[in-house]
Amino acid sequence: MDESGTGGRLMREGRLLAGRYRLDALLGRGGMGEVWRASDLRLNRTVAIKVLPSHGAPAQAIARFRREAEIAAGLQHPSIATVFDIDTDDDTLFLVMELLNGTDLAAVAAQHPQGLPLTRALPILTQIADALAEAHKNDVVHRDIKPPNVMLLDGDRTKILDFGIARYAEQTTDLTGSAMIGTPAFMAPEQFDRNTPVDHRTDLYALGGVAYQLLTGHRPFTADTVPELLHAV
């Protein structure tokens, strides 16, 4: 349901979540919800809030997401976005994260259609790989590593976003309206088959796709239709 009456937004400006977080400005929206700049009124700080619709989502999916979010929040790494809190407000599940000022790697790649110089791309990719190693050591698999999910901050410091959200999205169509979670050009083949287990190798495959785009300026696979793209992969 559109609470704001404009553009199908999930939330409206000024909404207070859990009696603590005031939504100040919509930063972006996509298949997996909305991102807002918000004020933490208890700690008097500015944060980012990812709003995920939970209406109609199976209780098991919400419980699993809470567990995975708690694990992700425990990941201590400079290249993983910090999760401060997770809570619900009516039918709204939301994550409270550090507010990042930067540009995602998709925009960076678009600015360099011939690819980034190796001397710049290699440190960026090394940071991502190191962060994934930390997550995998704690049995956390991202499942949706792609350029839009990696922020580049000043000094080419990286931050991986959205740990745990892809698995939650797979449990409900409320987030995407589709059974396919992720961007096919960066998805490992096993992700196209719901019956095939997904593990840390899925993230490594996706990292290879990110590396390809950063170094060449092009996605690893392109096609005119989704079936053709899946066949190429």
Side-chain angles (χ1 to χ4, degrees):
M1 180 178 180
D2 177 9
E3 298 192 17
S4 66
T6 58
R9 288 186 184 178
L10 297 171
M11 294 287 105
R12 64 179 183 276
E13 187 175 323
R15 167 79 180 266
L16 194 64
L17 295 178
R20 174 177 177 178
Y21 303 104
R22 186 188 66 225
L23 302 181
D24 297 329
L26 181 66
L27 298 178
R29 59 187 304 188
M32 293 186 184
E34 298 175 345
V35 179
W36 288 77
R37 185 174 70 245
S39 298
D40 182 345
L41 303 181
R42 184 178 302 170
L43 296 180
N44 192 29
R45 64 180 174 183
T46 303
V47 297
I49 289 186
K50 184 104 178 186
V51 178
L52 303 170
S54 58
H55 178 70
Q60 181 181 7
I62 295 176
R64 175 179 292 172
F65 178 71
R66 282 183 173 276
R67 289 195 301 270
E68 295 204 357
E70 289 170 359
I71 295 172
L75 296 176
Q76 300 296 317
H77 193 279
S79 290
I80 296 176
T82 302
V83 176
F84 295 136
D85 194 11
I86 178 174
D87 207 343
T88 55
D89 188 284
D90 293 331
D91 282 335
T92 301
L93 179 66
F94 63 92
L95 280 171
V96 183
M97 305 169 290
E98 62 177 318
L99 182 65
L100 301 172
N101 293 313
T103 306
D104 67 55
L105 287 188
V108 173
Q111 294 166 3
H112 298 82
Q114 303 303 315
L116 272 68
L118 180 61
T119 52
R120 186 182 181 197
L122 186 58
I124 292 172
L125 295 167
T126 299
Q127 292 177 68
I128 300 171
D130 192 55
L132 290 175
E134 177 66 20
H136 298 160
K137 184 176 69 176
N138 288 276
D139 296 323
V140 177
V141 180
H142 190 287
R143 304 165 75 92
D144 195 19
I145 293 294
K146 58 187 179 183
N149 276 342
V150 181
M151 291 290 291
L152 198 63
L153 312 182
D154 289 343
D156 278 357
R157 294 176 296 118
T158 63
K159 289 280 188 177
I160 300 177
L161 310 175
D162 290 355
F163 270 95
I165 290 179
R167 181 183 288 261
Y168 172 66
E170 287 177 346
Q171 306 301 312
T172 173
T173 58
D174 281 5
L175 296 184
T176 64
S178 168
M180 181 175 292
I181 307 302
T183 301
F186 299 94
M187 290 169 61
E190 64 268 20
Q191 288 182 280
F192 303 137
D193 179 6
R194 287 292 190 87
N195 297 318
T196 301
V198 170
D199 60 24
H200 69 282
R201 292 171 293 183
T202 295
D203 287 346
L204 299 183
Y205 178 97
L207 177 58
V210 172
Y212 186 96
Q213 181 163 354
L214 287 186
L215 292 169
T216 68
H218 305 284
R219 288 186 172 188
F221 300 100
T222 57
D224 293 329
T225 66
V226 171
E228 289 177 351
L229 182 61
L230 302 190
H231 180 72
V233 172

